[in-house]
Amino acid sequence: MAISWLGAPADSPFPPVEQATSHGLLAAGGDLSSTRLLNAYRQGIFPWFNAYDPILWWSPNPRMVFHTDNFHVSKSLKKALRQKPFNITFDHDFIAVMQACAAPRLSKMPADQHETWIHNEMISAYTELHHAGYAHSVECWQNGQLVGGVYGVAIGKMFFGESMFSFKTNASKIALVALAQQLRLWGYPLIDCQVYSEHLSRLGAVTLPRERFVQQVQKLCSLSGQSGSWQTITLPFNYEP
């Protein structure tokens, strides 16, 4: 199947997601303007490409998601949560979270590729989304140092997870638990995880057929969500889920 090339205008339409390859590749080209990124996410599409390569747009089938009311917390993670090892914040250092996620060891690309898909072009684009109130981060701090976190994009009542990192044991998991609990309180039912991984599956993530996923995304993105910065959140985070 031929891959579509996107037109220059930021609001150029994407091809139907059903035209994606068996690996989920849908289109190439275009830019990472906020207009194009938001248009993509609202249709269940996301960018994923190496630095200096053409921008590639993906819509895999099936799609992996967390239901925010069904996050699996293992006995060992519960024990770690009770110890309250980290201070947790939202949107306090978005750029630092992205930069930490850019470490090659956390790249979605194969291990023999040293480039990371979270490169300067991506960081710049998502920082713009962050300033516009759409991209958000959760940070775990220990002794004033950033040791774990997660970031993604929120539109309406849908959250699209992008990446997470951990410099201390369980830091990324605890950031994800905090995010899921906060989103559940706000009435966000789903966190998009993009592609299947055993690690996310053990935490309770499940797969959805792309058609069903896109239908839910379009509905949730049309709802009124928590707009603007999340920095002033007073955490209701429960360390004993």
Side-chain angles (χ1 to χ4, degrees):
M1 182 179 294
I3 302 301
S4 298
W5 279 87
L6 300 180
D11 58 355
S12 296
F14 284 90
V17 295
E18 294 79 13
Q19 293 183 14
T21 68
S22 59
H23 297 293
L25 181 58
L26 178 67
D31 56 35
L32 293 178
S33 66
S34 294
T35 296
R36 197 185 299 269
L37 283 170
L38 294 174
N39 184 30
Y41 280 108
R42 290 186 177 106
Q43 299 176 63
I45 302 165
F46 61 89
W48 177 15
F49 64 104
N50 277 338
Y52 311 113
D53 287 344
I55 299 173
L56 301 179
W57 301 89
W58 302 78
S59 184
N61 185 27
R63 196 68 165 249
M64 188 160 232
V65 301
F66 279 114
H67 293 278
T68 58
D69 62 354
N70 193 34
F71 195 100
H72 175 68
V73 180
S74 66
K75 290 182 179 179
S76 60
L77 184 55
K78 285 183 180 180
K79 181 179 179 180
L81 289 167
R82 286 193 293 269
Q83 294 171 351
K84 300 183 179 182
F86 311 117
N87 293 322
I88 299 172
T89 58
F90 282 67
D91 283 353
H92 276 241
D93 205 336
F94 180 85
I95 295 176
V97 170
M98 279 203 75
Q99 290 172 337
C101 287
R105 61 187 174 83
L106 291 175
S107 172
K108 299 176 185 177
M109 297 300 182
D112 61 349
Q113 295 186 18
H114 298 292
E115 292 181 287
T116 172
W117 62 278
I118 307 176
H119 40 77
N120 288 340
E121 188 176 1
M122 291 284 277
I123 292 173
S124 176
Y126 283 80
T127 298
E128 185 175 337
L129 276 184
H130 173 64
H131 291 320
Y134 290 101
H136 303 280
S137 59
V138 183
E139 303 91 11
C140 286
W141 305 88
Q142 191 174 74
N143 299 322
Q145 299 296 313
L146 182 64
V147 296
V150 59
Y151 80 94
V153 175
I155 305 174
K157 277 189 162 48
M158 180 69 203
F159 191 89
F160 302 88
E162 279 294 318
S163 188
M164 57 186 181
F165 79 98
S166 184
F167 294 153
K168 296 288 185 179
T169 302
N170 291 319
S172 61
K173 292 179 183 178
I174 289 176
L176 196 54
V177 171
L179 173 64
Q181 289 195 4
Q182 183 65 54
L183 292 176
R184 184 176 71 233
L185 287 175
W186 284 338
Y188 288 61
L190 292 180
I191 298 174
D192 175 34
C193 305
Q194 299 179 348
V195 294
Y196 177 85
S197 79
E198 291 185 7
H199 171 68
L200 295 177
S201 179
R202 288 192 294 270
L203 292 172
V206 298
T207 56
L208 291 179
R210 180 173 55 209
E211 181 179 5
R212 183 180 169 194
F213 171 78
V214 171
Q215 288 173 349
Q216 293 195 42
V217 163
Q218 291 175 341
K219 176 183 177 181
L220 293 170
C221 285
S222 69
L223 301 177
S224 178
Q226 191 74 15
S227 60
S229 174
W230 294 357
Q231 190 175 101
T232 58
I233 291 173
T234 301
L235 275 179
F237 180 52
N238 175 15
Y239 270 99
E240 296 190 56

